[in-house]
Amino acid sequence: MADTRTEPRTYQDPTIELPLRMEPDPDPVEDCAGCVELAAARDRAYAGGDMTTVTDCNIYLRRHPVGH
């Protein structure tokens, strides 16, 4: 019987499937200039197809209301 620790691996790991989270975009808090600017930046990012910036803006918007 061959020692599997020294044999080269000849197969690929199975695909890892990550869950898809489809949360709605957070709403900006009314009368908050910071929230309004983050929402505007997110809209511009959507228009330009920049999903990284969209995600960043959503994270900042979710964290920002703590101070309101």
Side-chain angles (χ1 to χ4, degrees), residues 7-64:
E7 292 293 316
R9 199 163 158 200
T10 59
Y11 59 91
Q12 184 176 5
D13 283 337
T15 303
I16 298 173
E17 292 188 29
L18 300 175
L20 179 62
R21 293 176 56 187
M22 295 298 294
E23 298 173 5
D25 290 341
D27 293 324
V29 174
E30 291 183 34
D31 300 326
C32 174
C35 284
V36 170
E37 179 53 38
L38 283 169
R42 180 181 62 196
D43 292 342
R44 290 189 300 271
Y46 265 126
D50 183 0
M51 297 310 289
T52 300
T53 301
V54 169
T55 300
D56 289 345
C57 289
N58 284 339
I59 290 169
Y60 291 135
L61 278 165
R62 282 189 182 97
R63 291 181 181 171
H64 183 74

